[in-house]
Amino acid sequence: MIVADTNLIAYFSIHTEHSALAEAVCTVDSVWAAPLLWRSEYRATLLKYIRHAGINFEAAMSSLRLAEETVAGHEYSVDARKVLELAYRTKCSAYDCEYISLAQDLNVWLVTTDKQVLKAFPGTAVSLEQFAKKKK
């Protein structure tokens, strides 16, 4: 199991230049968890693709279904105090620290493209490229 941030989920479920890398991550570990926050972030991301990248509404809905299936059964609430402490200590956003908090609680990697998170949490966060190189 890994914690997948919204970008990873989007790259996997919406065809982009990063989709092959997201699929490689899934090949290494196909059990993806996320904090409940992922749904709101994903909808905002999906709306950007609709408005600015020309994805039609029906394709967006198919992407949403795939994203929901990918994380199904592995969505978690996180401890607000821990999230705020992590954010305060590192200057990362509270949103990002929800993913870090969950990864730490589950004792798994957060797979992310977020450079600030990767730098602040090298023992918890790993890039898509690094994770995709791991053996299943």
Side-chain angles (χ1 to χ4, degrees):
M1 177 186 292
I2 63 168
V3 170
D5 72 359
T6 301
N7 286 330
L8 175 54
I9 297 168
Y11 296 157
F12 184 74
S13 60
I14 304 167
H15 184 69
T16 71
E17 67 273 11
H18 303 292
S19 293
L21 190 53
E23 290 169 13
V25 169
C26 190
T27 299
V28 175
D29 195 322
S30 62
V31 180
W32 292 8
L36 294 172
L37 167 73
W38 86 268
R39 289 180 173 271
S40 294
E41 286 190 323
Y42 185 86
R43 285 187 292 262
T45 299
L46 198 54
L47 190 57
K48 288 179 187 176
Y49 279 94
I50 292 168
R51 288 182 174 161
H52 305 291
I55 292 179
N56 70 48
F57 189 81
E58 290 309 314
M61 295 312 301
S62 293
S63 297
L64 176 60
R65 283 189 293 279
L66 176 57
E68 290 172 338
E69 291 168 5
T70 302
V71 184
H74 302 286
E75 299 173 82
Y76 300 89
S77 59
V78 293
D79 179 85
R81 181 181 180 91
K82 181 177 179 184
V83 169
L84 291 173
E85 287 172 349
L86 291 168
Y88 177 74
R89 272 199 332 257
T90 64
K91 296 187 174 68
C92 290
S93 73
Y95 298 116
D96 291 336
C97 289
E98 287 207 23
Y99 294 91
I100 286 294
S101 176
L102 180 59
Q104 290 177 349
D105 289 348
L106 296 174
N107 196 31
V108 300
W109 288 108
L110 164 62
V111 183
T112 184
T113 57
D114 190 301
K115 290 179 180 22
Q116 183 180 15
V117 170
L118 290 165
K119 184 177 179 183
F121 298 99
T124 304
V126 63
S127 71
L128 279 66
E129 295 84 359
Q130 289 174 312
F131 192 82
K133 292 178 185 175
K134 296 180 182 292
K135 299 289 183 209
K136 190 167 186 175

